[in-house]
Amino acid sequence: MKKLANYTKYFYIIGALFIGCLFFYITYKTPLAGDDWGYALNGSSGNPIELAISFYNSWSGRFFSELWGFVVAPNKLIWNIVNPLLFIVIFLCIYYFSRSKKYYITTVLVILAVILSVDDNLRMETYTWLMGTTYVIPLALSMVYLVSIDYLFFGTFRMQNKDKIIAILNNLLLFYIGLTMENIAATMIVAIVLLLIYSYFNKREIMKYLIVNLIVMSTSFIIMRMSPGSTARLLRDSLEWSKLSIIEKLINGYPGFIEFTFINNNYFILFLSGVISLLTISTKNKINIIFKCVSVLIQIMGIIAVFSFVLPIDNNFMMDSKSLFSSIFWIIYTVDIMIVLYFGLNDKNRDKALFFFMLSGTANLVMMYSPIFGSRSSIYTIFFMIVTMVIVLNSIDINKYLLLGLFLISLFVCVDRFNEYRFKYNLVGLKQNERLEIIKYYKDHPEVEEAWIPRFPIFTVHGGDIEPGDTYHFETFREFYNLPQAADKIFFMYEED
């Protein structure tokens, strides 16, 4: 038994290999789609750096995200390799923060279960969309940065050669992150400010290093926000929103925050509430028994709310992000978690759990001040919260029966999601091969005026099908596949049509 216990601590390697192989499979099976077509056409006909600079001045301040599209979209093989590697890095970083000492297998399964059970739209827009990987890259880099900061705080920091190398690399990572996505850039600024405050009370010799980090991160973020292209795009596409006051913008964005942080993420809430309830139950002395009961009821209510769509009740008020219930309950839910984390954990574990909890909330809170708040923007909230969960999980003593229950639920979700991914992306591969055969027919028969393209299965490929009126994507689809038919003569049909 002792030998078996020694081997289980390496189970995370199996978890990393599993997620790498699965993501290679789904990435390989997923074709370029939507915006990918335009980036592939531009990238194959122009200089990627010049194009990224041009987009900075005309379309977007996300310089490195645009550069990724122009370099990788014409070379899908790069994406096939990089995407699974990114998720391996993310998985390993999350596991690192768990500092697992006894729940090795359960910790790995919880991480995998939450990663694999994200909302369908989030999965399609980040896991298996080439241009969606521009959200994943800064997530992976931010995780690497935070792991290195953990080493500087709690390792032997003497600013020797290896520490100087880490310092240089971290600044490069931060500069890159600052020119990718607005919400992760803003979140990392908040993270560094929190780290500065923490270092002032605990390790002041790191403060100079963190101040440089803050300057680099802020400079990069300012460069992105000052992009002429971003300003022009905002005024062109979101003129009415730009006229709102700050308060009006935040009020307008609050339902989106509720929807993409809580309501749309049922399995995420299931595991978060489960882990927080375990912490509440296991905490001794510090938390009043009445508060414990109330806290567990709040967490159970959160689970009921996000799974109410399967219950035989009128769930409109629970699933509507604009309802009075949603507007108030999720604030109570969040405050409850913060209280439990603060009183239920000790010292470093408490500080780390609260730190990642605040980063998780910040990533979506800043999106309230945005005219466009979609599922893909919430990827940072989900993954930072996973870190909070595994820190909590490995900071408490769990009854063996409760631990078994968590293990079985995690295992079931992992198996269920794995089967769903395998099934869906096998269908995607088959459908793409069918589409390529049909496209080949139309290319060989230019006299056929109309091209009818079958749609992908629902909830599989983001942007793979084009809706009427989307002139840009019809045109880029035609050019990408060299179809002789006019763009307005291309149609995407359901099988029953």
Side-chain angles (χ1 to χ4, degrees), residues 138-150:
L139 171 61
L141 297 183
S142 65
M143 288 288 191
V144 171
Y145 170 77
L146 293 170
V147 166
S148 71
I149 288 297
D150 186 77

Side-chain angles (χ1 to χ4, degrees), residues 317-329:
F317 72 99
M318 290 185 177
M319 300 303 292
D320 182 4
S321 61
K322 296 181 180 180
S323 71
L324 182 62
F325 169 84
S326 296
S327 300
I328 297 175
F329 172 75

Side-chain angles (χ1 to χ4, degrees), residues 75-351:
N75 305 282
K76 185 176 181 287
L77 177 62
I78 298 176
W79 184 47
N80 291 347
I81 297 170
V82 172
N83 197 39
L85 288 177
L86 288 170
F87 280 94
I88 289 175
V89 169
I90 293 168
F91 170 83
L92 291 175
C93 288
I94 294 173
Y95 187 81
Y96 166 86
F97 281 111
S98 75
R99 290 293 203 279
S100 185
K101 294 180 180 178
K102 45 191 173 182
Y103 309 132
Y104 301 113
I105 296 177
T106 302
T107 299
V108 169
L109 291 178
V110 167
I111 296 171
L112 293 176
V114 180
I115 289 176
L116 298 182
S117 61
V118 296
D119 174 61
D120 283 326
N121 289 308
L122 174 59
R123 168 180 52 79
M124 292 189 296
E125 294 175 10
T126 56
Y127 289 13
T128 53
W129 184 37
L130 188 145
M131 286 310 298
T133 306
T134 57
Y135 291 81
V136 179
I137 295 172
L139 171 61
L141 297 183
S142 65
M143 288 288 191
V144 171
Y145 170 77
L146 293 170
V147 166
S148 71
I149 288 297
D150 186 77
Y151 159 75
L152 294 180
F153 265 111
F154 303 110
T156 304
F157 178 81
R158 302 185 186 279
M159 207 37 132
Q160 297 172 343
N161 288 336
K162 64 177 181 179
D163 296 321
K164 291 178 181 178
I165 293 173
I166 291 174
I168 294 171
L169 290 176
N170 277 347
N171 284 315
L172 292 175
L173 293 181
L174 292 172
F175 187 77
Y176 187 100
I177 292 169
L179 282 164
T180 53
M181 292 293 160
E182 289 82 357
N183 62 329
I184 185 60
T187 301
M188 291 309 292
I189 290 175
V190 171
I192 298 170
V193 171
L194 292 174
L195 291 169
L196 269 167
I197 296 171
Y198 187 80
S199 66
Y200 178 80
F201 293 102
N202 295 277
K203 205 165 187 178
R204 294 192 182 185
E205 60 267 34
I206 297 180
M207 290 189 68
K208 292 182 180 179
Y209 167 81
L210 291 172
I211 289 171
V212 175
N213 285 175
L214 182 60
I215 293 171
V216 171
M217 186 73 247
S218 300
T219 301
S220 182
F221 179 66
I222 290 170
I223 292 172
M224 176 169 62
R225 293 299 299 146
M226 292 182 66
S227 159
S230 295
T231 302
R233 182 181 177 185
L234 175 65
L235 296 176
R236 182 180 64 248
D237 298 342
S238 307
L239 180 60
E240 292 303 316
W241 180 88
S242 65
K243 294 178 181 178
L244 299 176
S245 68
I246 293 177
I247 299 299
E248 288 174 328
K249 288 175 181 176
L250 294 176
I251 293 173
N252 183 67
Y254 183 63
F257 172 77
I258 296 297
E259 178 181 356
F260 296 114
T261 305
F262 304 106
I263 294 176
N264 284 3
N265 300 301
N266 44 18
Y267 281 98
F268 166 70
I269 296 297
L270 171 66
F271 282 98
L272 176 60
S273 292
V275 170
I276 294 299
S277 296
L278 288 175
L279 173 60
T280 305
I281 294 169
S282 67
T283 300
K284 299 177 182 179
N285 302 323
K286 291 185 179 181
I287 299 180
N288 182 280
I289 186 65
I290 297 176
F291 177 81
K292 282 188 176 184
C293 294
V294 172
S295 176
V296 172
L297 286 174
I298 291 172
Q299 298 305 315
I300 292 174
M301 190 64 207
I303 296 173
I304 292 174
V306 295
F307 280 98
S308 61
F309 64 91
V310 300
L311 300 176
I313 60 173
D314 180 6
N315 65 356
N316 288 337
F317 72 99
M318 290 185 177
M319 300 303 292
D320 182 4
S321 61
K322 296 181 180 180
S323 71
L324 182 62
F325 169 84
S326 296
S327 300
I328 297 175
F329 172 75
W330 293 111
I331 294 176
I332 297 172
Y333 178 88
T334 302
V335 171
D336 175 62
I337 291 177
M338 293 190 72
I339 293 173
V340 173
L341 291 177
Y342 184 82
F343 289 104
L345 298 175
N346 295 317
D347 305 327
K348 294 177 183 178
N349 288 329
R350 177 195 61 208
D351 297 338

